[in-house]
Each structure stands twice: as C-alpha cells, then as structure tokens.
Amino acid sequence: MRSKRIWILPLCTALLAAAGIRLLHPADEDASRPISVGTTDVAGALDPAGAYDTGSWAIYSNLYQSLLTLRPGSAAPVPDAAQNCGFLGPSLMTYECTLRKGLRFANGRPVTAHDVRYSIERMLSIASDSGPALLFPALDSVTARGRKVTFHLRDRDATFPLKLATAAGSIIDRTHYPKDALRPGTSVDGSGPYTLTEYTPGVRALLKPNPHYRGAAQVPKTPVEVRYYAEGGELASAWRRGDVDVAHRHLPPQVTATYDPDREGGRMTEAAGTEIRTVAFDMRPDSAMARREVRQAIALLVDRGRIMTEVHRSTVEPLYSLIPRGVSGHTTSFFDRYDRGDDAAKRARKTLRNAGIPIPVTFTYAHRAGETHAAEAEELRRQLERTGLFRMRIVSKKWKQFQEGYFSGAYDAYGLSWMPDFPDPDNFTSPLVGHTDAIGNAYTNARVNQLIADTQRHSDRGKTSETYRDIQKEIAVDVPLVPLWQKKEYVLARETVAGSQHLSDGTGIWRLWQLRRL
C-alpha cells in the first residue's frame, strides 16, 4: 500500500527535528521498500559453477557480472565487466578482453583479470553434472596479465562471445570460492547490479543495489524481493492476494488467457518468446524409446493443435522444429516429415509393425510437478493410447528430483522446457542434440555433431542457415525429441511499478534492475 502524506504543524515539525527525528518523505519510503517479484523459476544453486537452469541463471544475471552481456532485443554481445573484447586475427581461436578500470565486487574488493581466469578455470575443473561447463567444449586455456584476459580455443567458435555473455561467464571473488568444490551456504560475492542480503532456498531472495556496480546495465535504485512458488497456481494466488508487485513465469494458461485489467487491476505485457517445450526420449539401450521407429511413431501421433488449445488456452504456438520462430535457422522439419494429411494412426502402426516392435509399446513419461505439466501429460496420453499403440505411465516429480531422474535414465520419455542462454540457433542445437547432452538423454549423432561444428566456424551467422536446415532434417529422422510448442512471454505488474515489460526479452537475462516504482 502506498504511504499517505501527513501534514504536520510547523511547531510540531520543529520539535521533532530538535529531538533528532527525521520525517520520511513518501518517496524515501518507496525507494527503500523492495519491489516483490513472484516466479516459479526456483534457483537450484547460488554458485555459478554448479547450476545450468533457468531459475539459477535468472538470479545470476543480477548478482554476478560477465565480461560481456546482451542489450535488450540484441544478438550482439557488448562489454559489461570488460572495457572491450574481440578475436585476435581471423582464425576465431584466440579471444581477448580488457577489464574496465575501477571494478569492485559488492564486498569492496577490486575485480582483477586473475578473478576472471579463476572463475572460468574453476567452473571447467569442477565440471558439475548440473553446471555450465558443457558450453565451452572448445576452450583450451585462459591466461591473465594486467587487465587483459585471453582465451585460447581448440577449435574455431564464432559463438564463444555469446557463451561468455551468459551466466556461465559469471565472475566470482576468488578469495571466497574454493577451487575444487562448490561453495557451501547461501553467501554470494559477485560484482553485479545487486547484492544478496537474505536468502531462503526455494522461498525468497532479497536483493539490494550494489553501490560498487559498474557495467552495461543501469544502476538499480530500489531493492527487489524475489519470491519463489512451486507451481503457477500458487503464483497466481499470490498475485490475486496482492502478495507480489510483479508475477513472471509461469502463470497458468487460464490466468493469462482470461486476464481482465479492468476487473483484476494491474497490467499484463505479452510478447513473443523463445522458450520451447519438447518431449525428450531416453536413448539408452534399455529404454523403451531406444528404437528409432518407436520415436517416429510418436512424432506421427502428437497433435500440437489440441495441446495448444485444450491445455494452454492458445498462450503457446505449435512448434515443428528445434529452432523457434524469431531465431535465424527456423524451419518446419517435423511438419514436413510427419504432417502429411493422411491417417497418422495407420502410418504409426505400419512403422512399428515393419520394425517388428510388439504393440502396444509401454513406457514411462515424467514431468516436473505442476498443474499445467500434468494436464499436458494427460493430453499426450489420451492422444497416444486411443490408437492402441502405446501405454503410458505418468510420473510427476519436483524439479530437483525430476532433473536427477532424467539425467540418470530413470524415464523413457519426459517433458522438457528449454529457455535459450543467448539468441543464436546454436543454443537450440549444440546443448539439445550435440555431444554435450545438456538434456541427459544420451543422444549422439556424428553427422549432427559435425554440422554443429561447421556452424560455429562462421562469424557471419547468416551463412549458417542451410547447415541448420540440414541439422533439423537429420533430427526429424532420428527424433531424439519431439518439439511441441513455443511459449509467449507474459508479465503481470501493478500500476505502481514500471519497467516490467523489460524483464525478459529472449536474451536469457532477467533484468530486475529495470523495475522501479512510479
């Protein structure tokens, strides 16, 4: 609730001043009162060497700096902790940055080139199963001298600056993070726009402006309290109760589809998004999905239109390729191969019979706990089981258990959302179907790996379109996953808060510093 101005007689004012009591102006109170932001993207860890998930990277964007960052809506990295960066020579195998002068961590200690080298080398050395080391397969070594940091690559990689601009490039204070293990506890020592002053895992994080911050972002003026919710329904309830000033990711479809600002107050921002949803298949030999023909049969039967309308209330759009609309390299490879207008069930049955696969195929499908994920799983089961070709057992797990399960091969298939780390088609191919295997399904294809490597050799990204088309044709045949939909981006905000439309823009950065009170 906004504070009301109280008029006080001059004599009273003088007496209070004499007593050493300062009268607060309402604007002062607003500046010190945190803006509360509700989200379901729970942070998995506070140490940037140990997490590669949307919730963790969202908070890293605000607590840590990388050498580079991305401007809103731009695919070209710009300096952040760095003064300047660039490849040395045309080989794209040596990349060098010079640090800004006067950089300090939130604790006051100077940021040095040795901190940058330590941060990257430590992340690669720890190589956490749930960490971002897999983004840098081409990085061979890092050197630091004066204010310069030099990265030496094994292979050409034109996307290296984009990867460095993500939370994987987070710079830590080397005096507070152990070299060979993740940092325990809830303390953070970074040089980002905010400092973490209070934290309860899975519940809340209180961020206050970092007075030492110098970089590409604007210096925030207001604290932010991030409140975490297990499911979209809980987030929607918190919004209706007035517990949060801003609600972002993942509100239930029925809320965003029927939102009425005149009745409910506040305002909603809608924008095209680059988050995608897929059904991923475990490719291990003992999985029910090990045979390609089983996966192809499922690709034939999935009805994206019904998932879009019946489950998501048209808040998503059908997706027929790995790379979503709005990102260069987008195609419709799954539509071209599987949606031919004839009887999908007959074609799927023929595919299984010709391969000698017993019918029905029984398999386990897992999803992260949540009403919308559960409804989507039920719709998929209805579509597959009505043909008599499949029997599907659904498993629901909380995020951490769900993630551990699919990395260990506990599920034959699982629903997986993917939010890009940077706006380049490489981030929808290399982690999802390349040899780095960020989604834990053990897929490998030598031709796909070679094609991905070919795309990384071109600094002119426009020259990679045909190669990305070939990659997606190959994936449509192999079917290590089936793309389902591409999500629109929704943010709810009170009339008293500005800047919410800039929170997320497809660059993978959560711009809490854009928020301010009116």
Side-chain angles (χ1 to χ4, degrees), residues 155-171:
D155 301 303
R156 293 163 59 95
D157 185 2
T159 67
F160 182 77
L162 286 163
K163 295 170 183 175
L164 205 58
T166 70
S170 295
I171 303 168

Side-chain angles (χ1 to χ4, degrees), residues 47 49 118 122 125-126 172 176-184:
D47 188 330
Y118 182 88
R122 172 180 179 269
S125 174
I126 292 175
I172 58 170
H176 289 283
Y177 290 77
K179 182 178 180 180
D180 300 318
L182 297 178
R183 179 178 181 175

Side-chain angles (χ1 to χ4, degrees), residues 141-159:
S141 64
V142 187
T143 56
R145 184 175 182 181
R147 289 167 43 222
K148 292 188 181 296
V149 185
T150 308
F151 302 89
H152 307 278
L153 309 182
R154 299 185 187 91
D155 301 303
R156 293 163 59 95
D157 185 2
T159 67

Side-chain angles (χ1 to χ4, degrees), residues 4 17 49 51 54-55 78 89 131 147 149 179 181 202 226 297 299 336 341 348 366 409 423 443 447 460 511:
K4 294 182 180 179
T54 304
V78 297
R147 289 167 43 222
V149 185
K179 182 178 180 180
V226 179
D336 299 340
Y443 174 66
R447 173 167 162 73
D460 182 353
R511 305 175 190 278

